[in-house]
Amino acid sequence: MTINCKGQLIDLSIPKIMGILNVTPDSFYDGGTYNSDTAILNQVEKMLHEGATFIDVGAYSSRPNADVVTEGEEQKRLLPVITSILKRFPEILLSVDTFRSQIARQCIEAGAVLINDISAGKLDDNMLPTIANLKVPYIMMHMRGTPQTMKQHTHYDHLVKDILFYFSERIAAAKALGIIDVLVDPGFGFAKTSEQNFQLLNQLELFQLIEKPIVVGLSRKSMIYKTLKTSAQEALNGTIVLNTIALLKGASILRVHDVKEAMECITLVQQLKVRS
């Protein structure tokens, strides 16, 4: 299974790491940490050195009840960072975490290669046509509502079936526009209770039925630290455990804050698969 990032074919038969770079003041774990060029470039260098294939840059916190960020503010946060990163690391594969089509277009034109959309095009009707026009890989995540309202939308008739149906509809819409490289993210923590998150992880292998690469973002989330009665800062061990389970159930990309530890998970799980 491969995706085409501006002419570079990325083989996902061995899982890859997407390092998280939040240039936001209010993200749940690292908000405000990367607020200077030096801090940003040092973190990118560290994640690349530790084995990240992609770096995912986000400027709009999608944690529950996050503040609304205007399109102008999102643009002001993102574009200088993308320019700065690409100047230092011209070969980098940058992903941009946005649900706005204009931001997506501007970032791809600035040199990013992939769009990661928490809304799968549902928060901006122009997103899918824009992705089709840009001809870039597209991660579509499952969410209901918005980051501000998603906690009110956690009722499902059949959790996994409902999410699979959602993806079948969104993938069909993407395919109709000629979008080739689609990846799916079940959206842990987005319009799902902690119990539902664990149910989703327990049945993650069913998402292989979609025959698209599966992106998993579990890193330091509340399903881990609330279950363990700790904090996001103390949730690395729990993240490693759940990432390992996700890999065993078919994850193609792990989206993480801690690249080195996630790479170790992949290395060890691959040793199991070599011997199976």
Side-chain angles (χ1 to χ4, degrees), residues 148-166:
Q148 292 75 30
T149 66
M150 61 187 177
K151 279 191 160 185
Q152 302 159 30
H153 299 286
T154 57
H155 173 76
Y156 297 85
D157 293 329
H158 301 282
L159 178 72
V160 173
K161 277 187 187 174
D162 288 359
I163 298 172
L164 287 170
F165 180 79
Y166 171 96

Side-chain angles (χ1 to χ4, degrees), residues 68-87:
V68 173
V69 176
T70 66
E71 189 161 331
E73 178 64 22
E74 187 179 3
Q75 178 191 42
K76 193 167 79 173
R77 291 176 182 177
L78 275 173
L79 290 179
V81 169
I82 288 170
T83 302
S84 175
I85 292 172
L86 282 163
K87 186 176 178 183

